[in-house]
Amino acid sequence: MNEWMQDGGRKGLDGQGRLFAARLATGLIQGGALYLLYRAAEVGMWPDTRPEVFGGLALAFGYAPAVLLAAVGRLKPLPLALWTAAAAAALFLMGWHDVARRVIPENDQAPYLEFPVLAFGAAALFVAHHLILPAIRERRWRADYHAYFDVAWKAGVQLALSLGFTLAFWLLLQLGAALFDVIGVKAMTTLIRKAWFAIPVTCLAFALAVQLTDVRDGLIRGVRTVALMLLSWLLPVIALLTAGFLAALPFTGLERLWDTGSATALVLAAAAALIILINTAYQDGRPDNLPPAALRIATRIAGLLVAPLVGLAFWGLALRIGQHGLTPDRIIALACAVVGAVYAVGYLIAAVRPGGWMRPLETTNVAAGVLAVATILALFSPLLDPARLSVADQVARLERGAVRPEAFDYDFLRFDSGKAGLAALDRLARSSDAKTAELARAAKAREVRPPLTIPERSARAADIRIRPVAGQTTPPSFTAQLSQLDAVIYGCDGDTVCRLRSTDLDGDGRDEVLVATPGSILAFALGADGQWSQTGAYAAVCSDGSQKDWPKALDESLSVTPSRLPDLIVGGRRLQAQPEIRCPPPTPR
């Protein structure tokens, strides 16, 4: 008996040693690959010369090793290799598409992976892994729900602890480097700032953390039990708050909710919080994990609340899309709402169905997980590319007259929607509508994205209050072009009344327009093409803050005096003086 136990112990130790070596090797390979990608980007060598390949490799090497770290020792070598290869291939294609769909500027830094593909790629990998791993181990298309729960929540605890370990490791390195710096030894600081050290060591630290958290399985399960218990008692709180919010809506109306501009994201976040906390209370659904009666009641109530929240999200999206059309953010929000609808229907059935406490929740979670993975793969592929769909919808709105050419966001096509947007902008530049073609060509010529979009400019221009001095009127053409005059848009707003005076400043027989803002007086002239443009600004920053009275002062009096400093001709070019404007000395008290 003792010999058998000793032999089993040696086999266990040998198994742990192999796992330790495999995980450290995975971390080392991942760190080396990521460093080589970093180095390629630094010196401009392949695959940096092929940004699509670079993006695919970065996403694959950044995330796919997590499959090996999590599944080694739990799957046989062949299934493990096949699943890892499939995950890496899917990640590579997502990264490839994310870069390839965007414009690669010539002689400029190529675009790299954007945040959405990083966030949703990680979410898809986590969900897919914990759907596939139990199914492979049980050799069934759908495993027992207890296996899904056990693997997923344990991995969640391991992930949180491993990330915390990696962060603590780097904090200690920084502390050690600071100690050496105090005594004049800079080698440690220099070392940890080197990419060839920092990237591989970070990956090794994470791999080591995964191994350490996997050695004592019972401890991880204990931490998970405590975490689930604590989180589950937050469910009554969020259920009560959500119920109160929904009950108040008939009395407060929905206008304030829609006016926030982030109503959809808010209610979807609340629905996601309910879904997570419902699962912390339900756990694997076994009788020995049945929560107290108070939690069971709160869970059923929370299951009823998910549906109205998701319904509000759809309502808000419908209003925004009807008013302003599709955008990438709205398409992603719509995809999240569709997945949320599966949860809403399933949890509603689970909450009202008698017997088998919340049992339909299990099928709902699996179905929603599969749908979430499929949706993410579709969103970050040509199939449901949000940028392409948004461009098609926005251009269609313009062409059918739902939005005026002057209010259309050409900068979205130029800067925010990649190759699909540029192709649409080229087509609009050849439009039979002269105004559309003119504005599209202007957008194509811009090298830098303006700080405000055309719709934002129009909205701010509509709020501007400019009052002419007594006896004068604002030129109609000036009012019509307010959205194009940056200085006025930023200098005047709905809370500030600016004053306007027309006068001939340069003696050419044509009046210029002066607009007094709280900080300066702006001069505008009308060109031969009928366009107003800023020709100068008069400003003085006074210690007593008297410059804030420019609008009032302009209304009272105005005179023109010759400039003290003439213009200079230097190298054939005319230079204008910018003299310091002295404020009057403060009045002695």
Side-chain angles (χ1 to χ4, degrees):
M1 181 69 177
N2 290 335
E3 292 178 358
W4 181 85
M5 293 180 62
Q6 292 173 2
D7 183 62
R10 285 194 298 270
K11 288 182 178 180
L13 291 174
D14 290 343
Q16 287 297 330
R18 286 194 295 270
L19 287 178
F20 181 78
R23 285 185 169 126
L24 286 190
T26 300
L28 184 61
I29 293 172
Q30 180 189 24
L34 291 178
Y35 169 70
L36 290 176
L37 289 174
Y38 170 86
R39 183 63 179 165
E42 190 176 41
V43 301
M45 59 183 289
W46 191 91
D48 185 64
T49 54
R50 291 289 308 278
E52 303 96 331
V53 178
F54 187 96
L57 290 175
L59 196 63
F61 278 112
Y63 288 160
V67 173
L68 285 172
L69 293 175
V72 66
R74 294 183 172 87
L75 291 180
K76 293 181 179 180
L78 181 58
L80 176 60
L82 292 175
W83 164 225
T84 303
L91 291 166
F92 177 84
L93 293 175
M94 289 175 65
W96 174 292
H97 172 72
D98 185 63
V99 175
R101 68 181 177 80
R102 286 177 281 148
V103 178
I104 302 173
E106 296 181 0
N107 302 320
D108 198 0
Q109 186 181 34
Y112 292 118
L113 298 173
E114 291 185 329
F115 175 76
V117 75
L118 295 173
F120 283 95
L125 182 64
F126 185 89
V127 175
H129 178 74
H130 297 102
L131 288 172
I132 290 174
L133 180 62
I136 293 177
R137 293 176 65 177
E138 295 187 11
R139 298 183 179 181
R140 293 190 296 164
W141 285 105
R142 179 181 171 182
D144 181 71
Y145 186 76
H146 170 76
Y148 289 128
F149 166 81
D150 185 62
V151 170
W153 282 95
K154 178 186 173 186
V157 172
Q158 280 188 286
L159 178 62
L161 292 176
S162 299
L163 290 174
F165 176 87
T166 306
L167 176 61
F169 173 79
W170 268 102
L171 290 175
L172 290 177
L173 283 183
Q174 296 286 351
L175 177 60
L179 290 175
F180 279 104
D181 283 349
V182 170
I183 59 175
V185 179
K186 305 292 184 181
M188 186 68 176
T189 300
T190 302
L191 177 64
I192 64 176
R193 290 178 179 175
K194 296 292 185 182
W196 59 262
F197 174 83
I199 296 175
V201 163
T202 301
C203 295
L204 281 172
F206 183 80
L208 177 61
V210 173
Q211 173 64 22
L212 293 175
T213 55
D214 203 40
V215 171
R216 297 296 181 90
D217 190 66
L219 293 178
I220 296 299
R221 294 180 188 278
V223 173
R224 182 187 67 185
T225 300
V226 173
L228 290 174
M229 184 269 293
L230 292 175
L231 289 173
S232 66
W233 283 103
L234 294 177
L235 180 60
V237 178
I238 187 63
L240 179 62
L241 293 174
T242 304
F245 164 74
L246 293 173
L249 284 180
F251 303 97
T252 62
L254 296 174
E255 289 76 11
R256 292 184 179 180
L257 182 63
W258 306 141
D259 288 344
T260 63
S262 57
T264 299
L266 184 63
V267 295
L268 284 177
L274 282 173
I275 291 167
I276 292 173
L277 293 178
I278 286 171
N279 281 278
T280 63
Y282 184 79
Q283 299 190 24
D284 60 1
R286 291 185 172 182
D288 55 345
N289 284 329
L290 195 67
L295 269 184
R296 295 201 300 273
I297 295 172
T299 302
R300 286 192 182 273
I301 294 173
L304 298 173
L305 298 176
V306 176
L309 290 176
V310 175
L312 284 173
F314 275 112
W315 191 351
L317 282 170
L319 290 175
R320 289 293 181 183
I321 292 171
Q323 293 170 348
H324 307 294
L326 291 175
T327 64
D329 289 343
R330 289 179 194 134
I331 291 174
I332 292 176
L334 183 60
C336 294
V338 169
V339 176
V342 175
Y343 280 110
V345 172
Y347 283 31
L348 181 62
I349 294 173
V352 300
R353 182 177 178 180
W357 181 67
M358 297 292 285
R359 184 67 62 183
L361 178 148
E362 299 178 2
T363 302
T364 300
N365 285 344
V366 176
V370 173
L371 178 61
V373 174
T375 301
I376 291 172
L377 292 177
L379 284 175
F380 296 97
S381 72
L383 186 61
L384 293 179
D385 180 14
R388 177 179 59 81
L389 296 178
S390 299
V391 167
D393 180 71
Q394 293 292 344
V395 172
R397 284 168 51 83
L398 174 65
E399 292 177 339
R400 69 172 180 264
V403 57
R404 294 179 296 104
E406 297 83 359
F408 185 75
D409 191 1
Y410 300 91
D411 291 324
F412 167 71
L413 303 182
R414 173 67 179 86
F415 298 101
D416 298 334
S417 51
K419 294 179 179 178
L422 274 191
L425 196 60
D426 286 337
R427 184 163 62 84
L428 292 178
R430 301 188 299 271
S431 172
S432 58
D433 183 86
K435 191 64 176 179
T436 297
E438 175 190 350
L439 293 172
R441 287 193 294 269
K444 283 182 62 178
R446 284 195 278 272
E447 296 294 332
V448 180
R449 197 192 203 292
L452 295 176
T453 65
I454 290 180
E456 290 170 339
R457 286 172 173 273
S458 299
R460 294 190 66 159
D463 290 337
I464 290 175
R465 294 186 295 167
I466 297 180
R467 295 179 184 172
V469 300
Q472 294 190 357
T473 59
T474 303
S477 59
F478 187 82
T479 302
Q481 297 175 30
L482 276 180
S483 63
Q484 303 173 32
L485 305 176
D486 287 353
V488 178
I489 286 179
Y490 290 109
C492 306
D493 54 45
D495 298 327
T496 303
V497 177
C498 294
R499 304 294 286 181
L500 179 145
R501 178 187 286 268
S502 298
T503 188
D504 185 1
L505 293 176
D506 52 12
D508 63 353
R510 293 184 299 176
D511 281 351
E512 283 75 33
V513 164
L514 296 175
V515 176
T517 73
S520 63
I521 299 177
L522 311 172
F524 298 89
L526 183 63
D529 58 356
Q531 299 294 313
W532 288 91
S533 60
Q534 185 177 353
T535 57
Y538 301 88
V541 179
C542 305
S543 59
D544 61 355
S546 60
Q547 72 274 8
K548 296 181 180 180
D549 295 330
W550 291 139
K552 180 180 178 182
L554 182 69
D555 193 18
E556 295 173 350
S557 64
L558 175 72
S559 61
V560 178
T561 183
S563 176
R564 294 182 179 181
L565 297 177
D567 294 347
L568 301 179
I569 306 297
V570 179
R573 296 186 177 182
R574 189 184 189 105
L575 304 181
Q576 292 182 330
Q578 297 180 350
E580 178 183 354
I581 301 179
R582 299 181 181 275
C583 300
T587 304
R589 296 182 179 180

